[in-house]
Amino acid sequence: MSKLLFEEYQPLAAIATTPTAAKLLLPLTQAIGAILWVPESLGGGQDAHPTTGDAHPTTGDAHPTTGDAHPTRKVYSGSLKEHLSNIWQENQGLIFCLATGAVVRLIAPLLEDKSRDPAVVVVDEAGKFVISLCSGHQGGADKLANAVALQLSATPIVTGASAALGLPGIDILGVPFGWHKGEGDWNKVAGVIARGESVQVFQEVGSTLWQLHLPEGHPFDFEGTEEQRSGGAGERGSGGISPKARIWISLTQRRFSPESDLPKVQWHPRVLWVGIGCERGTSKELIETAIEQVFRANHLALGAIAGIATIDLKADELGLRELYFDRNWPLRIFPAQVLRSFTVPNPSAVVEAEVGTPSVAEAAALCAAGSETLLVAKQVFRLEGQAGACTVAVAQAEQEYTGRTGKLLLVGTGPGQLNQMTPAAQTAVAQADAVIGYSLYIDLISPLLRPGQIVEALPITQEVQRAQRAIELANWGLSVAVVSSGDCGIYAMAGLVLEELQAQGWDGKTPGVQVFPGITALQAAASRVGAPLMHDFCAISLSDLLTPWEVIEKRLQAAAMADFVTALYNPRSRTRTEQIAIAQSIFLQYRDPNTPVALVKDAYRHSEQITITTLDKMLESNIDMLTTVIVGNSNTRTHAEWIITPRGYKVGEVDRH
Ligand code: SAH
């Protein structure tokens, strides 16, 4: 199930009109939590399940404990054209398995605007190509096409200009951080970027993470002068190159003159917390008007509002509730004893006598923003002929509010080559806002990375820091892929991340966590030499960095005694050279010196080396930190260049099931 990955496109529908198309899309829709619509002519058949809304009975794909079943396949009656007009609005994404021409004709009358239309993706009947047809950026069709292509092992076809340039789309730049799009000529600025011309960026607030991973030769110039910043005459960028467009990332509301031949756009990171105090019965209109007036007077962008804050006593105030509900603003409430601890410019004895704190609006704004100074001090508003009054104050948070629930995707990348990584794991990496891992593994998966993705490669020794950083970004609202080689749950990051989450009092749900298994080193190594793991086996890491050596030695003894085939991870480093010799001597106490041993270094990587040797001679060959050592059991044998561990112990008793 890859549903967590496809959450952002839900509700998601797929459409198939032929049996081949339905066969192709059914497993996909089951995996990603989409509904597959088929015409009545395909309604019958053994896998149709049109009315019950249950998961497909034969796949067993629904999560057994969470009741995750979803109606996979539904039948529409009448024409597809009519049906589409019914489901167009309600879906975030549509996946067609139909000729592109037919899809273009079908959706043409329904298209409105790229900021509102659903993502439209087309898959060919052979399942070879996945086309991002429409709403590539804001609708997410480019990302969706990539994700679907990975699920189907198909080639994604993305024709947007920024994708080819390796740049994040300018109209989706702030999406991971929850920024709001402000005014501007978005198409013109996108055109300038597509032509590779210089674009000046003034970023005053919000995360600058997006700036850190731009490709070389990107068109952005971050060195604008103060004069240009304040709207002065100079239209030259740093180094004397005239910018051809400008991007503002700020909390200010700028009005751009339509005559200016320098196209401009503005993004608003949500950093402003609006503190509100109000009398009982103050209307939504009054509060809204008050906020709008304060923002206009101070040139602040409404789009930069993170949310509103007040005292807990006002949480049920009707006008306030209507307002934050309508505007989709979060409400943060604080008790009087918290608010009274803030030093504010305009305390009021009257307010204190009434609610137990001398400040509501100012203190609540500061408290929500985690700031000590106000951007706008308290102002009082009344409206003629209306009951009630309200106070408004504004404070600025250091970090923007994303309004998103983050997730942690704990991904195993397999031993090396991309084709040894599961499609689900590939999708997780391609979809994530941020990818964190040891630099070598990030290099191995670099073809999966998307323009605009935040990539943080940290040295191998800083695993705990990597886990903490991933959790920090996920708590902030990003979807974060933490990558480990092999399987992420075997001597790798998954455990560290979960341990750290537990230490932080995680509720098990937020941020969401999904683990994507990978082929671990022992499987990879085994596959290169035959079938050494055929019978009971175990893995032991010889690294005593995190495990006391006595424990490791005890396990080596036990494994040797119990005749387990044994895979040794982390067998030897530059400084740790003794452990492998001790391990060998322990096995020699219980096993024949001729027991086959495989030394597989860098399995499935360019530098792969394979040595088949025996227990007594194993130390004569090179063993290092990139090697997995597999020691056979008492029955393991070699045949030509192959290692075989028999399926059964007694001759003639091979279990054929
Ligand atoms: N999570 C990883 C293991 C990390 S511990 C996994 O599941 O594979 C690191 C050890 O794994 C190395 O010291 C080596 O013993 C083994 N290893 C990792 N990748 C390998 C590869 N491609 N070939 C052989 N051994 C490998």
Side-chain angles (χ1 to χ4, degrees), residues 317-616:
E317 190 65 38
L318 200 60
L320 204 55
R321 287 177 56 146
E322 280 175 8
L323 179 65
Y324 70 73
F325 194 76
D326 278 9
R327 296 277 189 144
N328 206 9
W329 284 328
L331 175 71
R332 290 196 176 160
I333 52 165
F334 306 100
Q337 67 266 30
V338 170
L339 296 179
R340 55 180 305 125
S341 66
F342 283 82
T343 313
V344 296
N346 300 297
S348 151
V350 180
V351 174
E352 180 164 26
E354 214 171 290
V355 294
T357 164
S359 166
V360 171
E362 292 185 340
L366 289 174
C367 192
S371 162
E372 281 172 14
T373 48
L374 288 166
L375 204 61
V376 182
K378 174 174 91 174
Q379 309 202 8
V380 187
F381 289 85
R382 291 175 202 285
L383 274 184
E384 273 223 16
Q386 272 214 19
C390 79
T391 52
V392 176
V394 185
Q396 180 187 337
E398 184 117 343
Q399 191 177 45
E400 63 269 48
Y401 168 76
T402 64
R404 305 172 73 214
T405 307
K407 49 194 166 212
L408 287 157
L409 311 169
L410 310 180
V411 180
T413 61
Q417 276 169 20
L418 273 189
N419 63 7
Q420 297 289 338
M421 185 175 173
T422 68
Q426 296 196 19
T427 312
V429 169
Q431 292 289 292
D433 299 316
V435 181
I436 291 185
Y438 168 44
S439 24
L440 171 69
Y441 307 145
I442 299 230
D443 289 348
L444 289 170
I445 56 163
S446 59
L448 296 172
L449 300 176
R450 251 183 323 112
Q453 229 167 6
I454 299 158
V455 180
E456 296 196 354
L458 292 169
I460 193 155
T461 46
Q462 298 182 4
E463 279 124 336
V464 174
Q465 286 91 326
R466 258 185 273 161
Q468 285 167 344
R469 175 67 177 154
I471 294 170
E472 183 192 355
L473 292 178
N475 279 337
W476 182 42
L478 303 193
S479 70
V480 185
V482 182
V483 300
S484 299
S485 81
D487 185 272
C488 56
I490 298 179
Y491 310 123
M493 291 301 294
L496 282 174
V497 171
L498 286 168
E499 270 183 72
E500 191 61 32
L501 279 170
Q502 185 186 18
Q504 295 183 14
W506 181 50
D507 66 357
K509 294 193 190 83
T510 313
V513 171
Q514 191 168 348
V515 185
F516 296 82
I519 294 175
T520 186
L522 70 84
Q523 290 170 289
S527 71
R528 304 301 285 136
V529 295
L533 304 175
M534 218 31 218
H535 214 279
D536 302 333
F537 66 89
C538 68
I540 298 177
S541 164
L542 297 192
S543 168
D544 54 0
L545 280 180
L546 301 171
T547 314
W549 177 249
E550 302 77 69
V551 174
I552 300 173
E553 216 175 286
K554 212 162 119 191
R555 289 189 184 154
L556 288 167
Q557 285 280 356
M561 196 189 326
D563 205 27
F564 280 112
V565 175
T566 305
L568 302 175
Y569 282 68
N570 302 301
R572 171 155 55 190
S573 73
R574 252 175 292 135
T575 50
R576 251 183 345 90
T577 52
E578 282 305 301
Q579 284 85 344
I580 187 71
I582 302 174
Q584 180 200 34
S585 64
I586 292 173
F587 277 91
L588 278 170
Q589 291 167 27
Y590 299 92
R591 288 187 209 178
D592 192 285
N594 281 325
T595 304
V597 167
L599 311 176
V600 182
K601 176 181 154 90
D602 279 334
Y604 294 96
R605 296 180 191 158
H606 294 302
S607 41
E608 183 183 83
Q609 276 176 30
I610 297 165
T611 309
I612 293 178
T613 174
T614 53
L615 190 54
D616 58 344

Side-chain angles (χ1 to χ4, degrees), residues 116-427:
R116 283 194 299 276
D117 293 331
V120 180
V121 162
V122 185
V123 185
D124 66 316
E125 276 211 356
K128 283 193 182 152
F129 301 104
V130 183
I131 305 169
S132 165
L133 189 67
C134 214
S135 305
H137 286 173
Q138 292 166 60
D142 291 355
K143 258 176 89 182
L144 180 61
N146 271 314
V148 169
L150 284 167
Q151 294 283 323
L152 296 175
S153 298
T155 305
I157 298 180
V158 175
T159 53
S162 56
L165 294 169
L167 294 171
I170 198 62
D171 52 352
I172 50 171
L173 191 68
V175 170
F177 314 112
W179 302 350
H180 280 150
K181 268 172 79 184
E183 279 178 21
D185 194 336
W186 293 89
N187 285 339
K188 274 212 181 124
V189 174
V192 170
I193 294 174
R195 290 193 294 276
E197 293 171 334
S198 173
V199 178
Q200 217 167 25
V201 180
F202 293 121
Q203 177 156 12
E204 295 166 343
V205 293
S207 173
T208 52
L209 283 174
W210 71 275
Q211 298 182 8
L212 305 181
H213 309 283
L214 296 168
E216 264 183 52
H218 65 77
F220 301 116
D221 168 9
F222 298 104
E223 312 283 322
T225 62
E226 269 313 307
E227 191 190 5
Q228 290 165 334
R229 207 172 268 267
S230 53
E235 297 258 314
R236 283 194 173 272
S238 65
I241 302 166
S242 304
K244 294 290 185 294
R246 223 169 246 171
I247 300 168
W248 294 89
I249 302 169
S250 80
L251 49 78
T252 307
Q253 179 68 50
R254 288 189 167 73
R255 307 262 170 231
F256 300 136
S257 138
E259 289 93 59
S260 164
D261 51 3
L262 195 66
K264 302 179 187 81
V265 291
Q266 53 191 332
W267 274 106
H268 301 302
R270 287 147 78 186
V271 287
L272 300 179
W273 288 91
V274 184
I276 304 278
C278 63
E279 288 176 2
R280 272 268 164 251
T282 305
S283 70
K284 175 193 150 197
E285 287 70 33
L286 203 165
I287 306 171
E288 200 166 25
T289 310
I291 295 175
E292 281 168 5
Q293 280 186 18
V294 165
F295 271 62
R296 201 172 312 122
N298 293 279
H299 308 290
L300 297 175
L302 287 168
I305 293 181
I308 51 183
T310 190
I311 189 167
D312 53 6
L313 294 172
K314 298 288 171 190
D316 61 349
E317 190 65 38
L318 200 60
L320 204 55
R321 287 177 56 146
E322 280 175 8
L323 179 65
Y324 70 73
F325 194 76
D326 278 9
R327 296 277 189 144
N328 206 9
W329 284 328
L331 175 71
R332 290 196 176 160
I333 52 165
F334 306 100
Q337 67 266 30
V338 170
L339 296 179
R340 55 180 305 125
S341 66
F342 283 82
T343 313
V344 296
N346 300 297
S348 151
V350 180
V351 174
E352 180 164 26
E354 214 171 290
V355 294
T357 164
S359 166
V360 171
E362 292 185 340
L366 289 174
C367 192
S371 162
E372 281 172 14
T373 48
L374 288 166
L375 204 61
V376 182
K378 174 174 91 174
Q379 309 202 8
V380 187
F381 289 85
R382 291 175 202 285
L383 274 184
E384 273 223 16
Q386 272 214 19
C390 79
T391 52
V392 176
V394 185
Q396 180 187 337
E398 184 117 343
Q399 191 177 45
E400 63 269 48
Y401 168 76
T402 64
R404 305 172 73 214
T405 307
K407 49 194 166 212
L408 287 157
L409 311 169
L410 310 180
V411 180
T413 61
Q417 276 169 20
L418 273 189
N419 63 7
Q420 297 289 338
M421 185 175 173
T422 68
Q426 296 196 19
T427 312

